[in-house]
Amino acid sequence: MAAGGPPVLVVTRLDDATADQVITELNRRRVPVVRLDPGDFPREVVLSGTFDSTGTSGTLATASRRIDLGNVRSVYWRRPTPHTADLAMDEQTGRWAVEEARYGLGGILTALPGAYYLNHPWRNRDAEYKPAQLATAAACGFTVPPTLITNDPDRARAFAAEHGPVLYKPLRETEYTDGTGRPLTVWIEDVTPDQIDSRVIHTAHLFQQRVGKSADIRLTAVGDHLTAVRIDRSPGVDWRRHYDVLAYTPVPVPPVVATGVRAYLGAFRLTFGAFDFGLDRDGVWHWYECNPNGQWAWFPDRITIPLTHAIADRLQHGAPV
Amino acid sequence: MAAGGPPVLVVTRLDDATADQVITELNRRRVPVVRLDPGDFPREVVLSGTFDSTGTSGTLATASRRIDLGNVRSVYWRRPTPHTADLAMDEQTGRWAVEEARYGLGGILTALPGAYYLNHPWRNRDAEYKPAQLATAAACGFTVPPTLITNDPDRARAFAAEHGPVLYKPLRETEYTDGTGRPLTVWIEDVTPDQIDSRVIHTAHLFQQRVGKSADIRLTAVGDHLTAVRIDRSPGVDWRRHYDVLAYTPVPVPPVVATGVRAYLGAFRLTFGAFDFGLDRDGVWHWYECNPNGQWAWFPDRITIPLTHAIADRLQHGAPV
């Protein structure tokens, strides 16, 4: 194994079981790793980034480590905490300081010269918009359930009547996880036409035809390394509420799905994606969503170990040529 | 002139002198135009966007117009107002409603099938990060003044002593303009080592060597249509404080600058960019910044009319092949 060389920069919060697994593997390979939470800036991080016609240089120093900004091997962008203002500041100054931190340190971290990103944070941010996910999934040839985004109660009721049973899904994923890296979120719920009332006018709502599914599938992509797991025994529509009773079975990826995944990752310029599908009784994979920064560390070891290796391979060596 | 056909969607606030000029030209050409401020959603805009395996359809209706989401010619992304919560909502519900609106309507507006974007809002957002601008400008061959981004007062003082005279520049541009479309912002100021004190620790600060310039240059790029204007008579370092006394002279673009601009726009996937340079006494163009959504309507008519036509050409016909 190669030892030493430029470090992998892992951008995340203290509590991130998923990042921990990858860091352990990189340590085993003796690849240098620096862990950074941008939310610790400016209190516990000293930044000195310099730019001129020759490019970027300078350093970023935490309590224990010092990073040469011109010599970062790769960046594993996970779940940093947001910048917060010094409590001693008045509100307006605090807002200004947070914005300067976000555009200053945040900007530097997005443009490290020659670094490989898994994923680049701008690409994650783009790929989090569900309407863009749905439009891109259709363009990539996936089977997309009829979906409506609206603030019109009449349209919502008509859609539920025509395409029911339908589900309500939040448009925005939350970032919360439990201690083991399992995602917590606003749940997906069944909704009937009579439950749709005038409150729909207050913002955008997403309604989607419920797939007549026999199981769920989570496909985790690390470039062309695809890991599809069939998830059975979920007693409700949203398996994320029921981790402890789920059964996981690795399944092969149909070529049409693999082709779609490749096109989708290319469209958003992602390396990593956590794709959710519903599997119907005819074996068709129905598109639900792709979380560009999804969790995977809660799977059993037989699934997470190869995933950890695939991610560590990319962070150590960059994209395969 | 072609009349009718799919509309151009102009995404901006009510008060936007720059958009007004482009809309007037599109009207003259009889190209249909719909103006939309997403900040009016959900109160004055009804959204009904549908998705399935065949792609995106549905409508967006304002008080006066109705847009077919599957049939938008192009999008001129200017200066929309942010979404705001209904005052009747409690704070947490309001925040949730704003996020759902932003990810719902905002997401749909970023993924209109087949529409040409000038610029795509995600590309604007990426290109607003000054550290990424500086790193990209260097990679594109521009002459970049020595620049430091830091929260370390000692480093800042040492930089000012070594590279002085230096300027302090904000990392984040504000969006404010006066009634005629001229940008208002936090001003760029000269700074001396003795002015740099321990307050620097509170966030990221940008210090840049002051170019020994003889004039400023604003280069407005609409794809390969480059308009460079020499700006003279600014009594201070930041010409945006002194519009009324400035003299504007169109100047040719050196081939090395044109090549750099093309590479820079390509790197950020922009069509439009407002580039600022300092011109030194030897005729060298020194990089300052590129605002991907910069203002230009305050220039004299002899400059704005060809610019308006170049933008209208793109919105009417898409990118030249």
Side-chain angles (χ1 to χ4, degrees):
Chain A
M1 280 294 169
V8 175
L9 178 61
V10 178
V11 180
T12 198
R13 59 193 61 189
L14 198 59
D15 173 19
D16 181 352
T18 304
D20 291 343
Q21 296 207 17
V22 173
I23 290 170
T24 300
E25 174 61 19
L26 291 168
N27 288 339
R28 199 186 61 75
R29 298 180 184 196
R30 301 173 193 266
V31 175
V33 176
V34 179
R35 185 173 182 142
L36 173 77
D37 186 353
D40 291 339
F41 178 85
R43 284 167 291 278
E44 296 168 47
V45 177
V46 181
L47 168 66
S48 172
T50 53
F51 302 86
D52 61 20
S53 301
T54 66
T56 306
S57 56
T59 57
L60 193 61
T62 68
S64 58
R65 298 296 297 273
R66 191 181 192 82
I67 306 162
D68 175 352
L69 295 172
N71 192 34
V72 172
R73 180 195 301 252
S74 58
V75 179
Y76 187 29
W77 196 277
R78 281 282 308 160
R79 308 270 173 129
T81 58
H83 293 288
T84 51
D86 197 312
L87 291 176
M89 290 179 181
D90 66 76
E91 196 199 324
Q92 197 173 341
T93 307
R95 232 183 4 239
W96 169 83
V98 164
E99 283 288 281
E100 294 292 298
R102 201 159 70 82
Y103 278 83
L105 176 58
I108 286 176
L109 293 177
T110 62
L112 295 171
Y116 174 81
Y117 286 85
L118 191 158
N119 289 326
H120 195 288
W122 293 345
R123 304 291 85 79
N124 282 348
R125 192 197 41 192
D126 299 350
E128 278 167 2
Y129 285 80
K130 288 204 180 157
Q133 291 189 14
L134 291 160
T136 304
C140 292
F142 288 108
T143 301
V144 175
T147 305
L148 172 70
I149 298 176
T150 194
N151 63 330
D152 179 344
D154 293 337
R155 267 302 283 128
R157 269 188 296 265
F159 180 85
E162 182 184 353
H163 294 287
V166 300
L167 303 167
Y168 166 77
K169 295 185 173 183
L171 280 149
R172 175 79 180 119
E173 291 293 326
T174 62
E175 286 210 341
Y176 305 113
T177 58
D178 69 14
T180 66
R182 295 168 174 181
L184 302 174
T185 188
V186 174
W187 306 118
I188 296 164
E189 300 278 10
D190 276 299
V191 66
T192 56
D194 59 289
Q195 289 174 309
I196 297 171
D197 62 26
S198 67
R199 289 173 299 174
V200 167
I201 66 170
H202 291 299
T203 191
H205 297 76
L206 188 153
F207 301 96
Q208 188 168 69
Q209 184 172 53
R210 181 172 176 163
V211 174
K213 69 185 177 187
S214 55
D216 290 289
I217 291 175
R218 161 63 63 91
L219 185 158
T220 307
V222 183
D224 280 337
H225 183 280
L226 308 185
T227 305
V229 178
R230 179 181 163 127
I231 300 174
D232 286 285
R233 295 195 205 147
S234 177
V237 65
D238 193 333
W239 54 260
R240 295 169 300 179
R241 292 178 88 158
H242 310 286
Y243 288 106
D244 295 332
V245 298
L246 300 176
Y248 304 116
T249 314
V251 292
V253 181
V256 64
V257 172
T259 302
V261 165
R262 187 175 298 118
Y264 188 94
L265 294 175
F268 282 109
R269 297 194 287 168
L270 302 169
T271 293
F272 179 92
F275 295 77
D276 284 318
F277 297 93
L279 179 68
D280 73 17
R281 287 159 190 86
D282 298 325
V284 175
W285 294 35
H286 296 257
W287 172 270
Y288 285 152
E289 64 179 279
C290 172
N291 185 339
N293 200 0
Q295 309 288 7
W296 48 269
W298 86 91
F299 275 125
D301 283 354
R302 69 181 194 279
I303 295 166
T304 60
I305 289 170
L307 267 175
T308 303
H309 287 197
I311 291 171
D313 286 348
R314 292 286 187 136
L315 294 172
Q316 181 175 4
H317 301 298
V321 285
Chain B
M1 281 295 167
V8 175
L9 178 62
V10 178
V11 180
T12 199
R13 59 193 63 190
L14 198 58
D15 173 20
D16 181 352
T18 304
D20 291 344
Q21 295 207 17
V22 173
I23 290 171
T24 300
E25 174 60 19
L26 291 168
N27 287 340
R28 199 185 63 73
R29 300 180 183 196
R30 300 173 193 265
V31 175
V33 176
V34 179
R35 185 172 183 143
L36 172 78
D37 187 353
D40 291 338
F41 179 85
R43 284 168 291 279
E44 297 168 46
V45 176
V46 181
L47 168 67
S48 171
T50 53
F51 303 85
D52 62 20
S53 301
T54 67
T56 307
S57 55
T59 58
L60 193 60
T62 69
S64 58
R65 300 295 297 271
R66 192 181 192 84
I67 305 162
D68 176 352
L69 294 171
N71 192 34
V72 171
R73 179 196 301 252
S74 58
V75 179
Y76 187 29
W77 196 277
R78 282 280 310 162
R79 307 270 173 131
T81 58
H83 293 289
T84 52
D86 197 312
L87 292 175
M89 290 178 179
D90 66 76
E91 196 199 323
Q92 195 173 343
T93 307
R95 234 184 1 241
W96 169 83
V98 163
E99 283 288 280
E100 293 293 297
R102 200 159 72 81
Y103 278 82
L105 176 58
I108 286 177
L109 293 177
T110 63
L112 295 171
Y116 174 82
Y117 286 85
L118 192 159
N119 291 324
H120 195 287
W122 292 345
R123 305 291 85 79
N124 283 348
R125 192 196 42 192
D126 299 350
E128 280 167 2
Y129 285 81
K130 288 203 180 158
Q133 291 189 13
L134 291 160
T136 305
C140 292
F142 288 108
T143 302
V144 175
T147 305
L148 173 70
I149 298 176
T150 194
N151 63 330
D152 180 343
D154 294 336
R155 268 302 284 128
R157 270 189 296 265
F159 180 85
E162 182 185 353
H163 293 288
V166 301
L167 303 167
Y168 166 75
K169 295 185 173 183
L171 280 150
R172 175 78 180 120
E173 292 293 326
T174 60
E175 286 209 340
Y176 304 113
T177 58
D178 70 13
T180 67
R182 295 169 174 180
L184 303 175
T185 187
V186 175
W187 307 118
I188 296 164
E189 300 277 11
D190 277 301
V191 66
T192 57
D194 59 289
Q195 289 174 308
I196 297 170
D197 63 25
S198 67
R199 289 173 300 173
V200 167
I201 66 169
H202 291 300
T203 190
H205 296 75
L206 188 153
F207 301 96
Q208 188 168 67
Q209 184 172 54
R210 181 172 175 162
V211 174
K213 69 184 177 186
S214 55
D216 290 289
I217 291 176
R218 162 61 65 89
L219 185 157
T220 308
V222 183
D224 281 337
H225 183 281
L226 308 185
T227 305
V229 178
R230 179 181 164 128
I231 300 175
D232 287 285
R233 296 195 203 146
S234 177
V237 65
D238 193 334
W239 54 260
R240 295 169 300 177
R241 293 178 87 157
H242 309 285
Y243 287 107
D244 295 332
V245 299
L246 301 175
Y248 303 117
T249 313
V251 292
V253 180
V256 64
V257 172
T259 302
V261 165
R262 185 173 300 115
Y264 187 94
L265 294 176
F268 282 109
R269 296 194 288 167
L270 301 169
T271 293
F272 179 93
F275 294 78
D276 285 318
F277 298 94
L279 180 68
D280 73 17
R281 286 160 191 85
D282 298 324
V284 175
W285 294 36
H286 295 259
W287 171 270
Y288 285 152
E289 64 179 279
C290 172
N291 185 338
N293 200 1
Q295 309 288 7
W296 48 268
W298 87 92
F299 276 126
D301 282 355
R302 68 180 194 281
I303 294 165
T304 59
I305 289 170
L307 267 175
T308 304
H309 287 197
I311 291 171
D313 286 349
R314 292 285 186 136
L315 295 172
Q316 182 175 1
H317 301 298
V321 284

